[in-house]
């Protein structure tokens, strides 16, 4: 268990969670916002993307009131990304994070905001992050509102940054600065 925060808990991804990820990442409602509806994941692609990793990512399952409802990952930003994002001279740790709530019944209940705030707190306190960054697609207004509510600010437009539903889409580089 990484942490608990009220009714929310974040734990490490386990082998037995693969079926759960396939369920979430083959649901068109979830895929509209994560990966794209034209790319539902299978057991093979879940294993490739979430388990067969050679990079330093901490994959986690999000629980709410004891029920598995989503996924979050966090990772130190490497030198290549630091350069791309304009952070080459930043001496402190920079972490990235990505997340989704895979159970649509839990959408629009403030859980995403709680998740982002609690992970920011965890990364600052436990990982000594000086900045935390995300790169949401510019059209994902609901996610952008959550991130801004949690203290993230838009820093830089990333044109044609992410493949989504048949085209490269623009993203915002958003950052949270430790106070």
């Amino acid at each position: 268990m990484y942490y608990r925060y009220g009714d929310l808990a974040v734990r490490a991804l386990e082998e037995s969670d693969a079926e759960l990820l396939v369920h979430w990442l083959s649901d068109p409602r979830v895929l509209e916002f994560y990966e794209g509806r034209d790319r539902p994941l299978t057991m093979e692609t879940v294993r490739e993307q979430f388990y067969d990793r050679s990079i330093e990512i901490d994959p986690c399952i999000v629980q709410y009131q004891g029920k598995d409802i989503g996924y979050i990952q966090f990772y130190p930003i490497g030198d290549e990304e630091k350069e791309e994002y304009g952070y080459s001279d930043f001496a402190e740790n920079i972490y990235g994070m990505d997340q989704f709530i895979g159970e649509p019944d839990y959408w629009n209940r403030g859980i995403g905001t709680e998740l982002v705030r609690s992970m920011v707190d965890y990364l600052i306190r436990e990982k000594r992050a000086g900045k935390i960054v995300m790169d949401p697609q510019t059209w994902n207004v609901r996610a952008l509102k959550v991130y801004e509510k949690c203290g993230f600010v838009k820093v830089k437009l990333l044109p044609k940054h992410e493949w989504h539903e048949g085209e490269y889409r623009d993203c915002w580089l958003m950052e949270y600065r430790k106070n």
Side-chain angles (χ1 to χ4, degrees), residues 130-146:
K131 290 184 192 238
I132 301 161
V133 296
M134 290 192 274
D135 58 358
Q137 294 180 18
T138 58
W139 63 269
N140 193 345
V141 175
R142 184 173 61 190
L144 293 170
K145 284 182 181 178
V146 167

Side-chain angles (χ1 to χ4, degrees), residues 22-136:
V22 170
H23 170 72
W24 292 334
L25 295 172
S26 60
D27 183 335
R29 296 170 297 176
V30 176
L31 290 171
E32 179 180 357
F33 301 100
Y34 196 90
E35 294 292 330
R37 291 169 287 197
D38 59 339
R39 297 186 322 176
L41 273 63
T42 63
M43 185 60 75
E44 180 181 347
T45 53
V46 161
R47 293 224 175 270
E48 287 171 7
Q49 290 184 30
F50 294 88
Y51 292 93
D52 299 335
R53 295 188 167 180
S54 59
I55 55 177
E56 189 181 340
I57 289 181
D58 284 281
C60 307
I61 293 294
V62 178
Q63 296 179 318
Y64 189 77
Q65 296 178 339
K67 178 178 172 50
D68 297 334
I69 65 157
Y71 175 84
I72 191 166
Q73 63 185 22
F74 60 91
Y75 45 91
I77 297 296
D79 291 338
E80 188 175 306
E81 283 179 298
K82 282 183 180 179
E83 181 147 337
E84 176 187 356
Y85 294 161
Y87 294 129
S88 296
D89 296 334
F90 188 75
E92 294 182 65
N93 294 328
I94 303 174
Y95 273 79
M97 56 189 262
D98 307 289
Q99 59 279 320
F100 65 85
I101 295 177
E103 297 292 336
D105 290 345
Y106 289 81
W107 291 358
N108 301 314
R109 294 175 51 182
I111 298 168
T113 300
E114 199 174 319
L115 174 62
V116 171
R117 281 186 179 144
S118 63
M119 181 55 74
V120 164
D121 182 62
Y122 174 81
L123 292 174
I124 289 171
R125 192 176 15 83
E126 299 296 326
K127 300 294 184 178
R128 304 290 183 236
K131 290 184 192 238
I132 301 161
V133 296
M134 290 192 274
D135 58 358

